[in-house]
Amino acid sequence: MLTYEQYRQRVVDAVPRLSAETVDVTDPSALLGRVIAAPVRTAVPLPGFTNSAMDGYAVRAADIAAAAKNAPVTLPVAGDIPAGDTRSLSLEPGSAWRIMTGAPLPDGADTVVQVELTDAGTEQVQIRAAQPEGTAVRRVGEDVVTGDEVLATGTLLHPRHVPVLASAGVQQVSAIRRPRIAIVSTGDELVPVGATPGHGQVVDSNGPMLAALVQEGGFELADTRRVGDTGEQVRAVLTELAAGVDLIVTTGGVSAGAFEPLKLAFEDSDEQFEFVKVSMQPGKPQGFGMLGSTPVFALPGNPVSSLVSFLIFVAPAARKMAGRSPALPTATARVGETWQSPPGRTQFARVVYDDEGRVVRPIGEQGSHVLGGLAGSQALAIVPGDTTEVAVGETVSVIPLDGLA
Ligand code: AMP
Ligand code: MG
């Protein structure tokens, strides 16, 4: 048996890095989840012009050097400069312009006095404090100079990267493609969502769950299929999909039963497909192979096993394909209630947090078919194989199911 770390490393190593493409900075659905493939440099400085950081009066610092609360300096006001004023203005010595935040500083002005330090006059203004030269002035290029690298290769794009790109006139960036993922649910017992299952049938819940995991993970959902339990059917669908997608995830048909279509599909083939047992609970039976250059992850059918397998194996590999980190996003938490863990296998226990979000306790039933408990859980606690009891007060590693945000 492999440990989950060994198997994870094996599948992460086996998947390829995807190529880059051009994405539009103004299209959030294209931007998020993508990694910059080449450094981004600006062709312009930021700010693009020297402007005021306050609502107040543009002056020369020297003209108000003697100003004090009890001895205000009075200057004539030449007029108003609102934000968006495109005139080229200059400041006569011994005068002031009333100026708004973000408005261009007139030539000759070196300082802005905030309105609160004045009488807010419009014809003339009383200034009640001297200011060091440069106060409340944003100089051209003080943020970014022309040619600066504003985003490095490998940056995972977030909303916070958009302003510098947009302001610098960068409309498009080169970013690594997100893997396009197809989901295939196997099982003669499955009926689609919305259909009423007959005796012995169940609704295909893994298909839509995995589709949602694909979206949440920052990947692209390319296709969803349902197939029956014959090797030929599975093989035909996977072969067709492999030509058009970057990664395929199947569920069901990998364990030790008599009708295991994934195993049947590849038992006599040339493809390198391996079925392994991983010392973890849930998620012990796993399959992985390449159809041409398309990786195929064959996950067990129990819904909880499918979810855990996706998070622990598929998502890290897909992140690597997208140029992102394959590391598991773990945190730590304190144990608030003792629970048992199977010897020799890593347990991914479903847990809930206390109100503070620091202490976890197990949800009641840990069976891999328990859907209500899955919905109620907030994190997976990772319990090492050599631990058989997780005791109150200990610290455990957890994977928060709602992200680390
Ligand atoms: P299998 O891995 O195919 O042996 O399936 C294990 C268990 O998971 C069985 O109870 C299946 O009915 C159930 N199962 C398999 N696939 C799905 C699915 N797509 N949606 C819901 N349950 C499933
Ligand atoms: Mg099955």
Side-chain angles (χ1 to χ4, degrees):
M1 272 214 267
L2 295 165
T3 66
Y4 86 91
E5 289 101 329
Q6 287 168 331
Y7 184 62
R8 199 177 141 271
Q9 194 60 52
R10 197 183 277 197
V11 295
V12 166
D13 287 347
V15 301
R17 240 334 171 75
L18 298 180
S19 56
E21 64 187 353
T22 300
V23 299
D24 209 321
V25 166
T26 58
D27 180 359
S29 61
L31 209 64
L32 299 176
R34 281 202 161 95
V35 161
I36 292 286
V40 180
R41 297 181 186 283
T42 60
V44 295
L46 292 177
F49 56 92
T50 298
N51 66 86
S52 177
M54 295 271 192
D55 293 327
Y57 294 83
V59 298
R60 283 164 222 263
D63 290 341
I64 58 161
K69 203 165 183 187
N70 301 326
V73 168
T74 302
L75 299 176
V77 176
D80 287 343
I81 314 179
D85 195 330
T86 55
R87 294 173 294 171
S88 286
L89 299 170
S90 60
L91 178 75
E92 294 299 320
S95 71
W97 281 91
R98 192 159 74 137
I99 193 166
M100 310 305 148
T101 304
L105 217 67
D107 280 350
D110 56 33
T111 300
V112 172
V113 184
Q114 66 183 89
V115 67
E116 292 82 355
L117 300 176
T118 74
D119 68 350
T122 51
E123 301 297 316
Q124 53 178 35
V125 61
Q126 279 194 359
I127 292 175
R128 301 190 187 113
Q131 299 288 291
E133 187 178 323
T135 299
V137 173
R138 305 164 174 162
R139 297 235 153 261
V140 60
E142 74 175 23
D143 179 5
V144 169
V145 299
T146 305
D148 261 5
E149 180 178 303
V150 286
L151 291 190
T153 303
T155 305
L156 175 61
L157 286 164
H158 282 286
R160 70 177 184 277
H161 299 120
V162 173
V164 74
L165 297 173
S167 305
V170 178
Q171 288 180 44
Q172 294 185 319
V173 291
S174 171
I176 302 186
R177 287 200 303 112
R178 286 184 299 227
R180 302 179 68 248
I181 301 181
I183 307 293
V184 180
S185 304
T186 73
D188 283 335
E189 74 277 32
L190 302 179
V191 298
V193 176
T196 307
H199 182 65
Q201 297 184 315
V202 294
V203 174
D204 170 19
S205 61
N206 287 347
M209 173 189 72
L210 290 165
L213 283 165
V214 164
Q215 175 93 28
E216 185 186 54
F219 317 119
E220 287 179 23
L221 183 65
D223 214 333
T224 52
R225 300 287 183 91
R226 255 178 323 107
V227 288
D229 273 333
T230 71
E232 299 80 66
Q233 281 176 295
V234 169
R235 207 180 151 80
V237 167
L238 296 193
T239 309
E240 181 208 326
L241 287 170
V245 304
D246 298 308
L247 191 159
I248 299 172
V249 181
T250 72
T251 71
V254 293
S255 43
F259 311 101
E260 302 292 357
L262 259 295
K263 287 186 170 169
L264 295 172
F266 293 102
E267 64 188 354
D268 302 319
S269 76
D270 297 335
E271 274 90 18
Q272 298 288 312
F273 225 97
E274 62 169 3
F275 294 92
V276 298
K277 287 187 170 35
V278 182
S279 56
M280 63 193 281
Q281 186 195 56
K284 182 163 91 170
Q286 298 285 337
F288 178 80
M290 301 291 290
L291 279 184
S293 59
T294 306
V296 180
F297 286 80
L299 313 183
N302 269 310
V304 183
S305 315
S306 264
L307 177 119
V308 170
S309 305
F310 185 95
L311 294 176
I312 307 301
F313 304 125
V314 182
R319 285 198 292 272
K320 176 196 161 180
M321 294 176 87
R324 293 161 54 191
S325 166
L328 292 177
T330 55
T332 54
R334 300 245 299 159
V335 175
E337 184 186 316
T338 298
W339 79 86
Q340 310 303 316
S341 179
R345 293 165 73 179
T346 304
Q347 182 191 39
F348 292 91
R350 276 142 282 150
V351 295
V352 290
Y353 288 108
D354 69 346
D355 288 344
E356 314 257 279
R358 293 205 194 90
V359 178
V360 293
R361 61 182 168 76
I363 59 145
E365 168 62 65
Q366 295 284 334
S368 49
H369 60 287
V370 180
L371 305 183
L374 177 62
S377 63
Q378 296 173 310
L380 297 173
I382 308 175
V383 184
D386 56 9
T387 303
T388 53
E389 183 177 278
V390 185
V392 172
E394 289 176 1
T395 298
V396 280
S397 251
V398 294
I399 300 175
L401 293 175
D402 297 333
L404 287 172

